[in-house]
Amino acid sequence: MTAMFPLGSVLLPGEQVPLRVFEPRYATMFDEVLAGDSTFGVVLIERGSEVGGGDTRSAVGTLARVDDWTPTGPRRHSLLCVGVHRIVVDEWLPDKPYPNARTRRLPDTPGEDPDWTALMERRAQLQLLCGQGGRRDRDLRRTASWLADPVDYSGLDSTEASFRATSDLPLGAADRQRALTAPDAASRVDDIVSAVDDLIAALRFRLQA
């Protein structure tokens, strides 16, 4: 049984995420998580709200681990967590009072090597386009600066590298969830190449307007 923390965003394996806990049921959850092995599941809320329940949740998520935490008030916590590996939810269980589920690890299946060349070409194109709009758009300027930072995936296996590459791009929750659910690293990289192509097309239209 896994304690679950549904979010309005996607946590990828290898990513860090800060969390603020203030809802009473999640305060109870993290009291128990921190007294145990400090792990819990994170899934995307597809419809609904992070607060109050009644949401619709994705079936594939990420096991997270609390790396650091600070109490910020009565039954309130500030947490720094990291994604460990993918999980799939086999069954949602009754809340106690926080969400719980039966989960299992979801490893990548063996596959072909990812097309890193195509991905790096798209990243460079996106960076150049963001730079063209930077004078009039602060967000684009920040994105261009971010994408200009060198990336190095050497020393990582293809699964780790594909998740890092996803994290290194300005993708929305739907595209990040698609990458999370991809069966293997090559499919994941193909998915994010397609997502960046969509971003490039939308940005060209925006710059021409």
Side-chain angles (χ1 to χ4, degrees):
M1 184 172 64
T2 305
M4 302 296 292
F5 194 63
L7 284 175
S9 57
V10 178
L11 175 65
L12 300 171
E15 277 189 332
Q16 286 190 325
V17 61
L19 297 176
R20 291 185 302 112
V21 177
F22 55 87
E23 197 175 351
R25 61 179 177 155
Y26 289 119
T28 298
M29 171 181 143
F30 280 103
D31 285 343
E32 297 180 10
V33 164
L34 293 169
D37 64 1
S38 296
T39 64
F40 61 101
V42 174
V43 292
L44 175 67
I45 297 173
E46 297 177 341
R47 289 189 298 276
S49 171
E50 291 181 3
V51 179
D55 46 16
T56 301
R57 305 159 184 164
S58 60
V60 175
T62 300
L63 187 75
R65 182 185 66 242
V66 179
D67 276 355
D68 193 18
W69 67 281
T70 303
T72 56
R75 308 209 70 210
R76 291 173 177 255
H77 304 295
S78 178
L79 309 167
L80 181 63
C81 307
V82 62
V84 180
H85 57 69
R86 291 196 304 174
I87 56 174
V88 60
V89 175
D90 288 325
E91 181 184 5
W92 287 99
L93 302 172
D95 289 1
K96 61 161 211 172
Y98 52 83
N100 283 272
R102 290 194 176 94
T103 68
R104 54 186 164 87
R105 184 167 183 168
L106 183 63
D108 273 9
T109 58
E112 299 177 356
D113 290 334
D115 188 353
W116 295 111
T117 299
L119 178 61
M120 293 307 170
E121 287 175 351
R122 300 312 198 281
R123 181 188 173 97
Q125 291 174 28
L126 185 60
Q127 189 267 329
L128 288 173
L129 279 172
C130 288
Q132 291 176 19
R135 292 183 179 180
R136 57 181 176 175
D137 192 313
R138 183 177 300 175
D139 289 338
L140 287 182
R141 188 163 63 246
R142 283 197 295 263
T143 301
S145 176
W146 168 26
L147 291 171
D149 290 340
V151 294
D152 181 10
Y153 305 132
S154 61
L156 302 177
D157 66 32
S158 59
T159 294
E160 293 172 322
S162 64
F163 281 126
R164 178 77 63 82
T166 307
S167 182
D168 285 342
L169 289 165
L171 303 178
D175 288 325
R176 285 165 59 86
Q177 183 66 23
R178 192 172 298 113
L180 182 64
T181 60
D184 54 62
S187 298
R188 185 169 300 115
V189 169
D190 289 346
D191 284 344
I192 59 179
V193 165
S194 178
V196 175
D197 281 342
D198 290 343
L199 280 175
I200 288 171
L203 185 54
R204 283 177 174 156
F205 179 81
R206 175 178 171 181
L207 293 174
Q208 292 169 0

